[in-house]
Amino acid sequence: MAGRRLLVATAVVAAAAAVVAAAALEAINVTTVAFEEGYTPLFGFDNILRSADDRTVSLLLDRSTGSGFMSSSMYQHGFFSASIKLPSDYTAGVVVAFYTSNGDVIEKRHDELDFEFLGNIRGKPWRVQTNVYGNGSVSRGREERYLLPFDPTTEFHRYSILWTRAAIVFFVDDVPIREVRRTPAMTGDFPSKPMSIYATVWDASTWATSGGRYRVNYRYGPFVASFTDLALLGCRVGDPIGQMLSSAACAAAEDALLTSDLAVMTLEKQQAMRRFREQNMVYSYCYDTLRYPAPFPECDVVESERRRFKGSGHLRLAFRRRRRTRPGSRPARPTRAADM
């Protein structure tokens, strides 16, 4: 019991620290849209449920199909956000995604920015993975993975992507968790072409949980992911199935975005990002020297951060949350990298 109480107390302290970090930052206030104003169904039409006011959308995954929606327009840079509540209980093999992409119109040179939420077996937490692909650079995946400092299944939490010509920033509840600054050495690997915004839930049994060891169990379905507070702040440049328009007209909008409070990385934002990463990041491609012996040009290697990770890029066991037990009791099984 003492060990269990200590574990609960540790989780409470971590959640409280996250709340304090978020409270120290100014809230991001952007205009939200109704589904019909900015989005359209993508697939699994019968598994898309919209609220009466059209501001909340639930996506279902069942034995027949997953489901998804996408923006009605493509955007040349912008700020894209949604508050999401994830499925609960046994969710192994389930992936919920909120992302930008142009893969439907530019197959071999597509750009993509991802939030991917990876389900887990009962009693294990959801993990969130961020990805950055530019110009079809899928062989040079720039993944990072984190544990969330809260239960994402009990209430809505906001996940946001800021994409400018200078940088990409991922946010969780208005706290920046990752920044990728454009460097000349990245060349085409930095996403630069207009993209649409997507939300999906689907069966990824082959890889999502412990490398495919645990698959989707539809006895626990349907799996429901709900989206609300949909925000689309950017310059529309075309339609996903039509001709992309010239992005020259977006220059003024992009300049305004670059100088806005959204894009300015203040000292407070940098400190909050560092705290989140220290407490929650469990994998980073920047420290994965086994997969990538040569460092990526945009990686800002922080020595204190690097020491926490193995050559595989996964967090060292000593830095994982320690489960203390009473004297003489059996220690808990260490968490494996595959479980994270």
Side-chain angles (χ1 to χ4, degrees), residues 17-28 79 115 149-150 158-160 169-179 265 268-277 279-280:
V19 170
V20 171
L25 299 178
E26 186 175 343
I28 296 176
F79 179 83
F115 269 113
F150 50 77
R158 180 150 72 168
Y159 306 90
S160 310
V169 184
F170 294 88
F171 297 83
V172 173
D173 283 339
D174 298 346
V175 175
I177 67 167
R178 177 182 183 184
E179 180 185 31
M265 188 61 75
E268 290 77 14
K269 288 182 181 179
Q270 293 176 37
Q271 292 172 338
M273 182 169 66
R274 179 64 56 82
R275 284 192 296 267
F276 184 96
R277 294 171 68 82
Q279 296 169 5
N280 301 291

Side-chain angles (χ1 to χ4, degrees), residues 29-103:
N29 294 312
V30 292
T31 302
T32 61
V33 299
F35 182 83
E36 191 71 26
E37 294 175 320
Y39 286 95
T40 185
L42 177 63
F43 71 99
F45 301 140
D46 291 339
N47 281 3
I48 301 175
L49 307 179
R50 294 158 61 175
S51 64
D53 65 0
D54 208 31
R55 289 188 171 271
T56 300
V57 185
S58 292
L59 298 180
L60 279 64
L61 167 66
D62 59 23
R63 293 180 186 275
S64 63
T65 183
S67 52
F69 60 86
M70 67 183 295
S71 60
S72 304
S73 299
M74 301 186 79
Y75 292 82
Q76 181 67 45
H77 305 129
F79 179 83
F80 314 109
S81 182
S83 292
I84 305 171
K85 185 164 67 171
L86 299 175
S88 59
D89 204 355
Y90 183 99
T91 55
V94 177
V95 169
V96 176
F98 178 67
Y99 64 104
T100 69
S101 177
N102 48 35

Side-chain angles (χ1 to χ4, degrees), residues 70 72 74 104-105 196 238-244:
M70 67 183 295
S72 304
M74 301 186 79
D104 288 340
V105 293
S196 300
D239 130 15
I241 60 174
Q243 180 68 36
M244 283 190 291

Side-chain angles (χ1 to χ4, degrees), residues 207-254:
W207 65 270
T209 308
S210 298
R213 179 181 176 187
Y214 300 103
R215 304 179 66 83
V216 173
N217 187 335
Y218 286 102
R219 289 186 303 166
Y220 296 96
F223 303 96
V224 182
S226 297
F227 298 75
T228 193
D229 297 332
L230 303 171
L232 294 166
L233 179 63
C235 187
R236 300 181 183 185
V237 296
D239 130 15
I241 60 174
Q243 180 68 36
M244 283 190 291
L245 306 176
S246 169
S247 59
C250 290
E254 292 178 31

Side-chain angles (χ1 to χ4, degrees), residues 143-144 283-289 292 295-296 298-301:
E143 302 99 339
E144 288 192 345
Y283 171 82
S284 174
Y285 73 105
C286 287
Y287 304 122
D288 191 344
T289 56
Y292 304 115
F296 283 75
E298 75 279 5
C299 284
D300 182 16
V301 174

